[in-house]
Amino acid sequence: MTNHQPPSPCLGEARVLHDTRCELGEGPSWDAARGEFRWLDILGRQLHRHRLDDHEHQVIDLAQLTSFAAPLSDGDDLLVTEFGLMVMEHAHGGVSPWREVEASNDLTRSNDARLDRHGGLWFSTMGKAAQPQAGTLYRFHEGKVFILRRQISIPNAICFSADGRHAWFADTSTQQVMRWTLDDQGFPLREDGQPFDADTQPEQLSHPEVWADFSDDIGSPDGAVIDAEGFMWLALWGAGRIARLSPEGKEVGHIKVNASQPSCPAFGGPNLDVLLITTATEGLDNLDDGRLHGATFVLELKDILPGVRGQADEPLHIR
């Protein structure tokens, strides 16, 4: 039996930051150096940048399906795209290939991604039509790309504990959020106890544990982020809410979103206490139902949970 009532108290309702409707808003992040949120409309092939202080909003058209833009230490950006990792010059917007990943596979595109706590980047692919088990979970670390898991249908919820000892991810099609224990370099532990090396295959890694199960929920686990207290903020696609989960995986509260398909949250602002939420219109037949499907939302956490804030991400070093 599917639960149509959120199993937790409502902590507040997010407000609209920007009302442009994204077909598939995804990959939100905070660029502390520029004081701006950025997010992608994957299917619309656009990068959005929004400064919080003066609300200047910039939209950059992209040639590739792109799901994430990571700030680089030299001021440029690393794009996670359908062809792999690309570098975008911040000043002029020029995009150049950097590391090809599934570039010759016309069936897949990039999806969820997030910077880890060890100077790396986890990112993923999936079928453009969400073909079963067409996706892969990758990690970029110290100039190399490693495969962590194959045969994922809809990879999501990539996020990390503040101490770098755990990683979470989900295959949305399973309704479960998984947790991996990591080694001191940020790789999942191997089953045989040996250290991760360049020859390690995904089949040699330890099995992640089921950390949270939404099989009885109307929503499906999408993007997620961990706050500084160790609680997860998880977008539930189809449920119009962002769930806050305890370190034990129990939903203890939620944020209401006036859109049925929230896709991913991210912390930002000078004190990392502003929660940005992307949403999507993909697959919806009725966009005139009074809800703001595809808009981008924010919530000031200081107003509902004083002291709760996100983790600061360091710019990525690639050269």
Side-chain angles (χ1 to χ4, degrees):
M1 180 178 178
T2 300
N3 177 20
H4 291 270
Q5 296 297 322
S8 66
C10 181
L11 303 173
E13 182 170 356
R15 63 175 176 84
V16 172
L17 175 71
H18 195 69
D19 60 6
T20 295
R21 291 191 168 189
C22 292
E23 186 174 359
L24 183 53
E26 266 288 6
S29 63
W30 171 250
D31 185 340
R34 297 185 173 91
E36 67 180 24
F37 276 113
R38 71 266 298 283
W39 65 90
L40 283 299
D41 182 349
I42 298 177
L43 300 181
R45 300 179 189 237
Q46 290 182 328
L47 169 63
H48 291 256
R49 299 181 183 274
H50 190 100
R51 280 213 310 254
L52 271 189
D53 57 357
D54 59 7
H55 294 290
E56 178 181 330
H57 191 90
Q58 181 183 13
V59 180
I60 301 171
D61 292 321
L62 302 169
Q64 307 84 15
L65 296 174
T66 305
S67 60
F68 193 73
L72 295 176
S73 57
D74 61 7
D76 290 338
D77 296 291
L78 187 70
L79 303 182
V80 180
T81 82
E82 62 182 316
F83 303 120
L85 305 178
M86 297 186 169
V87 173
M88 182 173 72
E89 296 180 0
H90 192 87
H92 307 292
V95 176
S96 58
W98 191 69
R99 291 286 188 276
E100 288 191 351
V101 180
E102 300 187 26
S104 60
N105 188 346
D106 294 334
L107 298 178
T108 61
R109 63 164 174 84
S110 62
N111 201 50
D112 199 40
R114 196 171 291 280
L115 295 171
D116 68 24
R117 315 310 299 169
H118 298 267
L121 169 72
W122 289 39
F123 64 100
S124 62
T125 61
M126 63 174 284
K128 291 177 179 176
Q131 295 94 327
Q133 300 186 338
T136 302
L137 179 62
Y138 296 91
R139 186 188 187 209
F140 166 76
H141 182 65
E142 295 184 348
K144 298 179 180 179
V145 175
F146 302 90
I147 297 176
L148 301 182
R149 194 171 183 87
R150 297 188 177 96
Q151 297 183 328
I152 300 177
S153 297
I154 307 175
N156 270 310
I158 298 171
C159 52
F160 306 93
S161 60
D163 61 10
R165 294 178 58 191
H166 292 100
W168 288 261
F169 72 95
D171 184 338
T172 297
S173 65
T174 70
Q175 293 290 104
Q176 295 177 333
V177 179
M178 312 299 290
R179 186 176 73 168
W180 247 330
T181 300
L182 307 180
D183 65 19
D184 58 4
Q185 298 298 310
F187 287 101
L189 297 176
R190 287 178 42 150
E191 282 282 8
D192 60 9
Q194 296 298 311
F196 191 102
D197 59 29
D199 297 322
T200 298
Q201 298 300 307
E203 297 77 16
Q204 296 175 286
L205 299 179
S206 62
H207 295 288
E209 63 175 316
V210 177
W211 183 75
D213 194 321
F214 289 86
S215 298
D216 294 328
D217 200 289
I218 190 175
S220 298
D222 205 308
V225 66
I226 303 292
D227 66 27
E229 296 182 352
F231 286 69
M232 175 183 287
W233 298 77
L234 174 68
L236 289 167
W237 179 279
R241 81 181 193 273
I242 304 296
R244 189 181 192 223
L245 279 67
S246 72
E248 294 74 37
K250 178 182 177 182
E251 183 173 343
V252 295
H254 72 273
I255 302 300
K256 182 180 178 181
V257 183
N258 191 23
S260 65
Q261 297 178 159
S263 52
C264 194
F267 291 101
N271 298 315
L272 295 174
D273 59 358
V274 178
L275 190 72
L276 181 131
I277 302 161
T278 53
T279 71
T281 64
E282 181 187 18
L284 295 178
D285 296 325
N286 182 13
L287 299 182
D288 299 315
D289 61 358
R291 304 183 76 184
L292 299 169
H293 309 294
T296 304
F297 296 78
V298 291
L299 184 74
E300 286 78 18
L301 292 175
K302 67 179 184 296
D303 296 334
I304 60 167
L305 292 172
V308 172
R309 60 194 300 273
Q311 304 177 46
D313 288 325
E314 295 296 325
L316 196 62
H317 296 263
I318 66 170
R319 53 196 178 188

